[in-house]
Structure formats: C-alpha cells, structure tokens
C-alpha cells in the first residue's frame, strides 16, 4: 500500500471524482452514530480529505468482496484502536492526523441471500480475539440507515498479503506450515 492519500467514498462513487455535500452527510452520520453508541467514541472524528467531504485514506485493492478501506480517526484513545503491534516502516502513522482503522462495508445493491454476512464475520473475529492473532473488532453496525449498508470497524494490523496461493515468495520448507495454520 503506498502512502499517497486518497479520497475514500462511502457512497460507492468513483474515488477519482470529488465527493459532494451528500457524501459529507454520510461521514457526518458515521461519526454521529459512533458518538451515540460508545462512550469511548464520544469525541471521535474521521480525518477528512482536502475537500472536507470525503475521508482521507485508501481502499484496499485486492482480495475482498466487501469494500474495505483504511481510514483515520481522531478523538479516541490510541489503546482502543491500535492493535498490539508496532506499525512497520511504510505503514500509516498518526503524523498525518489520526490513527489507522479499517472500515469494512457490504457492497451496495442487491445481495444474494447468505452473501456478505458482515455480522457473522465480525462475531467470528471478536470470538477468537486474544486466542488467535486477529485485528481488534471495534464496532459492528447493522443499522442500514447510517450508511445505507451494514459495516464494521476493526483495528489496522500490519501484515503480509499473499495473492498467489502457491506462495512463490515463501521458502518451500515454510509453505506447509502456512497451509495448516
């Protein structure tokens, strides 16, 4: 992931186009929702892009059927949003304003029954937290009146992404260990 700030569009619009005031209302609703449901998030604010309408961050490019974004939040305790890991070189840092968190949403439009079950995903991650290395499950919202779709927030964790299941970049002796992990 490169360090170039981009605009995150919660409305499913093209991130190359500047978001308008309607999009800013989605960001306002996201912040208002978090402030209303969690005392820890009472002063939460997402870092906006230069237009003030979009979020500063970027969409993860590959591997997800659910739109997944890296965004930045301020006004919350670092220990609540930063996972028990050290941010690695090249990872986003609070220097640009805010702590990195991951926003995962259902895709817009009609969904097949049983597809894109974010509540199930979130519950599974929360259930194994502390026993299996997973990001911190921060908040699940099934109320579609907030953003138009279900969504959740989780901590951002630095890691490696393997796009090829043959794992050509991994030494052959290590591959079996990864397959059974």
């Amino acid at each position: 992931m490169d360090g170039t700030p981009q605009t995150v569009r919660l409305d499913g619009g093209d991130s190359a186009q500047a978001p308008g005031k309607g999009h800013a209302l989605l960001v306002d609703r996201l912040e208002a929702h978090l402030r209303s449901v969690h005392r820890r998030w009472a002063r939460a604010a997402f870092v906006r892009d230069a237009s003030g309408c979009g979020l500063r961050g970027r969409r993860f490019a590959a591997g997800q059927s659910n739109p997944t974004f890296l965004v930045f939040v301020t006004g919350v305790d670092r220990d609540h949003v930063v996972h028990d890991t050290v941010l690695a070189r090249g990872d986003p840092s609070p220097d640009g304003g805010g702590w990195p968190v991951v926003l995962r949403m259902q895709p817009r439009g009609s969904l097949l029954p049983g597809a894109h079950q974010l509540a199930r995903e979130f519950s599974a991650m929360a259930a194994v937290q502390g026993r299996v290395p997973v990001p911190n499950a921060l908040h699940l919202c099934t109320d579609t009146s907030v953003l138009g779709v279900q969504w959740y927030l989780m901590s951002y964790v630095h890691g490696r992404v393997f796009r090829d299941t043959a794992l050509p970049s991994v030494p052959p002796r290590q591959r079996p260990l990864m397959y059974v992990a």
Side-chain angles (χ1 to χ4, degrees):
M1 190 169 14
D2 71 31
T4 308
Q6 300 171 357
T7 295
V8 170
R9 297 281 305 257
L10 302 179
D11 60 2
D14 182 357
S15 63
Q17 298 174 346
K21 292 183 188 213
H23 185 270
L25 291 174
L26 283 177
V27 177
D28 291 343
R29 285 201 310 247
L30 172 64
E31 290 172 342
H33 170 79
L34 286 172
R35 290 173 183 158
S36 72
V37 296
H38 287 299
R39 206 173 65 236
R40 291 180 186 171
W41 293 87
R43 295 179 293 125
F46 287 87
V47 178
R48 310 264 178 138
D49 68 358
S51 74
C53 297
L55 294 174
R56 185 175 70 88
R58 67 193 59 81
R59 184 173 181 166
F60 288 99
Q64 298 87 17
S65 58
N66 293 316
T68 306
F69 306 95
L70 176 67
V71 294
F72 298 85
V73 65
T74 63
V76 294
D77 182 10
R78 176 192 185 278
D79 294 332
H80 180 61
V81 296
V82 177
H83 194 271
D84 298 331
T85 188
V86 174
L87 295 177
R89 172 174 278 143
D91 276 350
S93 74
D95 300 339
W99 296 106
V101 294
V102 176
L103 171 66
R104 193 156 161 85
M105 303 169 58
Q106 285 180 321
R108 299 199 177 273
S110 55
L111 303 176
L112 295 172
H116 307 286
Q117 296 295 314
L118 290 186
R120 180 178 58 205
E121 225 176 81
F122 184 87
S123 296
M125 189 168 36
V128 299
Q129 230 166 260
R131 295 186 306 244
V132 175
V134 295
N136 291 335
L138 301 174
H139 178 71
L140 169 67
C141 180
T142 58
D143 179 358
T144 59
S145 71
V146 177
L147 295 181
V149 294
Q150 293 182 18
W151 55 275
Y152 68 84
L153 288 174
M154 62 181 160
S155 60
Y156 171 76
V157 179
H158 174 77
R160 298 184 297 172
V161 176
F162 299 100
R163 290 178 180 20
D164 183 344
T165 57
L167 302 173
S169 63
V170 176
R173 287 186 171 173
Q174 292 179 4
R175 291 177 198 159
L177 298 172
M178 295 176 77
Y179 286 131
V180 298

